Amino acid sequence: MTELTPYVEDQELDNNNSDNPHFRDILEHHISRRSLIKKTASATVALTLASSLAACSDVDDDNNSSSGDPIDDRPESLTFKAVDKNLNDWVTVPEGYTATVLYALGDPLNATESAWNDNEVPNGPSFELRSGDCHDGMTFFGMANGKYDANVSEQGLLVMNHEYINQTFLHDAGPQVDAEGRRPEDEVLREMNSHGVSVIHLEKDETTQSVTIKKDSEFNRRITASTEMDIAGPVRNTDLVRTAYSSNGTKTRGTHNNCGNGYTPWGTYLTTEENFIGYFVRNDGDDALRSAKEVVALNRYGLKQKASSRYGWESAISSTNEQDLFDRWNSSVTADDATQDYRNSANTFGWIVEIDPFDRSVNPVKRTALGRFAHEDCRSSRAIEGQPLAFYMGDDSRGEYIYKFVSDATWSNSDINGGYSAGDKYMNNGTLYVAKFNDDGTGEWIELTYGQNGLDESNAVYPFGSQAEVVTFARLAADAVGATKMDRPEWCAVNPMNGEVYVTLTNNSNRGTSYETDAANPRNYEDPEGGKGNVNGHVIRFREADDMTTATSFAWDIYLFGAEAAMDANINLSGLTNANDLSSPDGMWFDTRGVLWLQTDDGAYTDTTNCMMLAALPGEVGDGTTATTSNGQTTIVGAQVTDENLRRFLTGPKECEITGVTTTPDHKAIFINVQHPGERSKSYDAPTSHWPTSQTDRTNSTARPRSATVVITRDDGGVIAG
């Protein structure tokens, strides 16, 4: 056996070669602040009024953690002592707080499986009952009597993603491949089982706030890259998803590359399939066996013929007569009919997946009406009785788009705890839109519906034949209608105070070259370390017209620009200081008080500090002015931040990403994930990080790094950032 060569993911990150505008046709003119106010004032007044009315309404008993009623205890300012930038190999939190490792790679879900052992990694099948790797997005669901209760903090289910794997440390001696180029079966099983989702039952002491995993709970379970899934929505039972596993196109197997997340008002979890395409291969010569439109779609999503897969799962040989478990990762034409091979396997990934953490008797469901792309996140609008729900989503790749899906059904509080039946009601039927940002601070939602806006057989690039094709190839549909190419849209967050939507645009090294700057993606500069383009990223936000989820227009500004504190003011446009400067915003979430938590996944500022999480108290769209960047681009900015309304709450260990954030409803415990510490390690026996062992034993120099979930509490038992 020889060690596997690391996968390079460039094929997944830059596949938008469409010629729709990058604002290249927009006039270069300075925007009048007074003009902007005139265009947005009426909507702002309506939004403020609607928020006030919602806060006074009588829906306090709806048990809905994502309702329109924020708890009225948002801090006036942030008072915890900001954590200094550092390169420590542990999670650093403010004075008076304690960080405790809760759930790390390989930890068992029950009391019968053996504990993790650095020197003898447990076998592949056992990871169906162990923590997966690369912990990511997560949500806490309060529980009473075995059902969802948004007001309960002492019992609950923590549901989290396991995005991908750090192969170097997942196996005894790193990943192996034999002389014939095949991966060992046990390693592949371990890797597939280390993807997906964990559901763990937590108990919190109401006095000390200490949190423990209830190891004997029937709710503890894993969903992996092999778990059976149902397909729902317009793609179900179509030729696009027929495979040897499901000849009628109603099922598939597994979910993977689960990055951001979301949750529904009725109490289910939404996991998002992000960089899914790199898990598949296509054989040399496969293009010749496909129709012309199939080749267009495969290339637009990065699945080109002869492309290598990330982990080589398709190469493994089964010892248990389950060869399809591995063959499904080869998305090539290998038989006479699609029901005899896996040519369509890649089409069964890239969706929003709904999981009911309270019901393990029913398969998770892939909700195809919400579109197929590299989903980074999925956030529901505020749930207001009698209004349709909206779900906001980003496509995390350079030059991709921001989407929303609006349900046909209007929200009813009676659907809380409705499980997958409620999901059928709100997520199978509705309208998918893509965003276009105008230079004057307005924007529009363009409908992605078969037969509308040129999405039909007459389309010259891809002749759409049905709504199933529109949603399966949503990127091509968005290209066709001229959506705005963004700087890698990542997490979305909805402000419970006013319904505004925030989206992190983490960075784009090609902004200013392959992608021209525009008002919504305005920066092209060079940082002190030699990075170019939009090096440090930004956070854009928008407010729907008249506070309606069904709106087809919105007002927007840029809430926050990532930057080093010492950068020039025309780069550091938000006025960041040493207490709050950041780079590459990624994970993001509003708690129910209206405190915004921002996390980073950075490679540009990591010579100075490890990745971090900050707490923020943002204003609202339109609270700033206009600005001109160092490259001469005019844009619309939010009010400059201060140390009182944006402050660094924690830093992570070496070479990690900080991602995933949720709290108990009482805000006395906050959970975050540390992903891939020590990711730059060259070998399994030479780790550059020893976390999580180093969290409590800072002299350890041998422990393998492992991704893990951390719970943070105040030493006095009080409210986090209270």
Side-chain angles (χ1 to χ4, degrees):
M1 294 283 184
T2 56
E3 191 167 350
L4 188 67
T5 302
Y7 173 80
V8 179
E9 65 176 11
D10 286 351
Q11 71 188 62
E12 300 176 33
L13 291 179
D14 203 339
N15 290 290
N16 193 345
N17 297 316
S18 64
D19 59 0
N20 55 297
H22 310 271
F23 282 69
R24 62 171 60 94
D25 298 324
I26 293 174
L27 294 176
E28 295 182 1
H29 64 275
H30 289 269
I31 306 162
S32 163
R33 173 69 177 157
R34 181 171 296 177
S35 172
L36 175 62
I37 292 173
K38 285 181 179 178
K39 291 178 180 179
T40 60
S42 60
T44 301
V45 170
L47 287 165
T48 303
L49 179 60
S51 295
S52 301
L53 292 173
C56 297
S57 66
D58 60 352
V59 295
D60 292 340
D61 61 349
D62 67 1
N63 275 354
N64 179 13
S65 65
S66 55
S67 76
D69 301 324
I71 297 173
D72 59 358
D73 59 353
R74 190 180 102 146
E76 292 295 323
S77 64
L78 300 170
T79 58
F80 60 84
K81 183 179 179 182
V83 170
D84 292 334
K85 291 172 282 191
N86 66 76
L87 297 171
N88 297 331
D89 195 27
W90 52 83
V91 175
T92 305
V93 293
E95 295 177 2
Y97 288 78
T98 296
T100 304
V101 177
L102 181 68
Y103 183 63
L105 166 67
D107 284 352
L109 282 170
N110 55 40
T112 59
E113 295 291 325
S114 61
W116 169 267
N117 185 342
D118 265 359
N119 300 313
E120 188 176 348
V121 177
N123 66 37
S126 76
F127 275 76
E128 292 183 347
L129 298 169
R130 296 181 182 276
S131 169
D133 202 357
C134 288
H135 303 44
D136 211 309
M138 63 180 165
T139 295
F140 179 87
F141 295 87
M143 181 170 65
N145 301 315
K147 294 185 177 181
Y148 170 54
D149 189 324
N151 300 311
V152 175
S153 297
E154 282 64 51
Q155 295 276 339
L157 302 181
L158 185 65
V159 189
M160 75 183 69
N161 294 340
H162 299 287
E163 183 182 10
Y164 65 108
I165 55 175
N166 187 336
Q167 285 183 304
T168 302
F169 299 109
L170 184 59
H171 308 299
D172 283 328
Q176 305 296 310
V177 59
D178 67 18
E180 296 180 348
R182 296 191 178 277
R183 296 290 316 286
E185 179 185 24
D186 189 64
E187 284 190 5
V188 172
L189 290 173
R190 186 183 294 116
E191 292 177 7
M192 289 194 297
N193 289 335
S194 292
H195 284 69
V197 173
S198 283
V199 180
I200 54 176
H201 185 168
L202 300 184
E203 298 178 308
K204 182 169 75 71
D205 186 286
E206 59 184 338
T207 301
T208 67
Q209 311 307 326
S210 64
V211 176
T212 56
I213 300 174
K214 183 175 171 58
K215 288 289 187 72
D216 61 351
S217 173
E218 64 181 352
F219 292 102
N220 294 339
R221 62 172 164 142
R222 287 292 321 285
I223 293 98
T224 74
S226 300
T227 302
E228 186 172 84
M229 309 266 163
D230 288 342
I231 297 173
V235 180
R236 179 180 173 85
N237 202 26
T238 68
D239 290 342
L240 292 166
V241 289
R242 299 186 198 279
T243 65
Y245 185 74
S246 178
S247 61
N248 61 359
T250 60
K251 298 182 184 298
T252 188
R253 181 183 275 179
T255 184
H256 67 260
N257 219 258
N258 307 90
C259 191
N261 75 125
Y263 45 87
T264 68
W266 54 94
T268 59
Y269 183 74
L270 302 177
T271 186
T272 66
E273 297 177 334
E274 190 198 11
N275 290 324
F276 64 95
I277 208 71
Y279 288 67
F280 299 94
V281 297
R282 277 209 300 135
N283 297 339
D284 187 11
D286 191 60
D287 279 358
L289 305 175
R290 305 275 192 164
S291 67
K293 62 188 288 186
E294 282 183 287
V295 174
V296 167
L298 288 162
N299 288 339
R300 181 63 179 86
Y301 279 75
L303 187 52
K304 300 175 175 66
Q305 63 178 359
K306 296 180 64 176
S308 62
S309 65
R310 179 178 287 198
Y311 302 121
W313 290 348
E314 75 285 349
S315 70
I317 299 296
S318 174
S319 63
T320 59
N321 200 32
E322 287 190 279
Q323 189 58 40
D324 278 7
L325 198 62
F326 310 117
D327 289 348
R328 62 197 171 108
W329 304 108
N330 187 337
S331 196
S332 302
V333 176
T334 61
D336 293 336
D337 186 84
T339 63
Q340 299 172 341
D341 62 20
Y342 287 96
R343 69 187 71 179
N344 292 325
S345 56
N347 289 346
T348 69
F349 291 88
W351 305 105
I352 299 298
V353 183
E354 184 182 14
I355 297 170
D356 187 346
F358 301 93
D359 185 359
R360 63 190 306 163
S361 68
V362 182
N363 290 338
V365 181
K366 299 205 175 188
R367 298 293 182 186
T368 65
L370 279 70
R372 174 176 167 266
F373 42 87
H375 285 281
E376 177 76 15
D377 206 47
C378 183
R379 292 292 163 180
S380 170
S381 62
R382 297 181 299 170
I384 300 174
E385 186 84 15
Q387 287 193 22
L389 296 173
F391 296 87
Y392 298 94
M393 303 165 285
D395 184 354
D396 180 15
S397 194
R398 288 188 288 265
E400 296 297 349
Y401 307 119
I402 295 171
Y403 299 81
K404 79 168 176 178
F405 173 82
V406 180
S407 65
D408 285 348
T410 58
W411 172 246
S412 171
N413 293 332
S414 64
D415 286 322
I416 295 170
N417 276 307
Y420 294 117
S421 294
D424 290 341
K425 177 179 178 180
Y426 295 105
M427 303 184 82
N428 282 354
N429 299 290
T431 305
L432 185 65
Y433 297 89
V434 67
K436 181 177 181 180
F437 292 81
N438 301 319
D439 70 331
D440 63 353
T442 65
E444 56 189 293
W445 292 110
I446 307 174
E447 185 174 344
L448 301 181
T449 297
Y450 174 66
Q452 301 292 323
N453 299 317
L455 301 179
D456 55 27
E457 291 83 350
S458 68
N459 187 278
V461 176
Y462 184 93
F464 294 95
S466 65
Q467 184 63 16
E469 289 191 351
V470 170
V471 296
T472 302
F473 309 120
R475 284 178 171 176
L476 286 164
D479 292 344
V481 301
T484 302
K485 298 179 178 182
M486 308 298 288
D487 286 345
R488 294 186 59 190
E490 300 238 16
W491 289 50
C492 305
V494 175
N495 190 338
M497 307 296 291
N498 56 22
E500 290 181 354
V501 182
Y502 289 58
V503 181
T504 51
L505 303 172
T506 193
N507 56 55
N508 185 352
S509 58
N510 293 340
R511 183 61 68 178
T513 52
S514 301
Y515 301 97
E516 297 177 17
T517 60
D518 55 54
N521 304 273
R523 290 190 300 174
N524 168 29
Y525 58 98
E526 185 171 341
D527 77 347
E529 291 73 39
K532 295 181 180 180
N534 181 9
V535 182
N536 304 114
H538 58 286
V539 181
I540 200 165
R541 63 184 174 184
F542 49 86
R543 197 165 192 171
E544 301 277 26
D546 300 322
D547 199 21
M548 297 298 294
T549 56
T550 54
T552 56
S553 62
F554 55 86
W556 68 268
D557 67 15
I558 296 178
Y559 160 61
L560 185 68
F561 291 88
E564 299 180 25
M567 285 178 165
D568 293 341
N570 56 10
I571 297 174
N572 183 10
L573 292 162
S574 297
L576 301 180
T577 70
N578 283 321
N580 57 27
D581 61 343
L582 73 152
S583 178
S584 296
D586 192 330
M588 179 176 57
W589 176 69
F590 275 100
D591 67 30
T592 56
R593 299 171 296 174
V595 177
L596 178 64
W597 298 95
L598 273 166
Q599 302 171 315
T600 66
D601 177 16
D602 185 41
Y605 202 21
T606 47
D607 60 323
T608 300
T609 183
N610 296 337
C611 287
M612 63 187 70
M613 183 170 78
L614 305 95
L617 303 172
E620 62 182 11
V621 172
D623 62 11
T625 183
T626 62
T628 302
T629 66
S630 62
N631 49 287
Q633 176 70 55
T634 299
T635 188
I636 304 166
V637 300
Q640 286 204 336
V641 299
T642 68
D643 292 354
E644 283 67 46
N645 60 30
L646 179 68
R647 188 170 290 194
R648 189 176 302 107
F649 182 76
L650 63 79
T651 56
K654 294 179 179 179
E655 300 169 16
C656 80
E657 171 187 351
I658 297 296
T659 185
V661 56
T662 188
T663 67
T664 50
D666 60 10
H667 305 109
K668 293 185 177 181
I670 188 168
F671 305 89
I672 61 101
N673 282 323
V674 174
Q675 187 181 100
H676 62 64
E679 72 168 341
R680 298 191 196 119
S681 302
K682 300 296 185 183
S683 173
Y684 70 93
D685 55 359
T688 55
S689 169
H690 304 289
W691 192 88
T693 299
S694 60
Q695 189 69 31
T696 54
D697 179 6
R698 295 177 182 176
T699 64
N700 188 289
S701 61
T702 60
R704 294 185 181 212
R706 294 188 287 155
S707 297
T709 301
V710 174
V711 57
I712 300 159
T713 54
R714 271 177 52 167
D715 297 343
D716 63 4
V719 171
I720 304 296

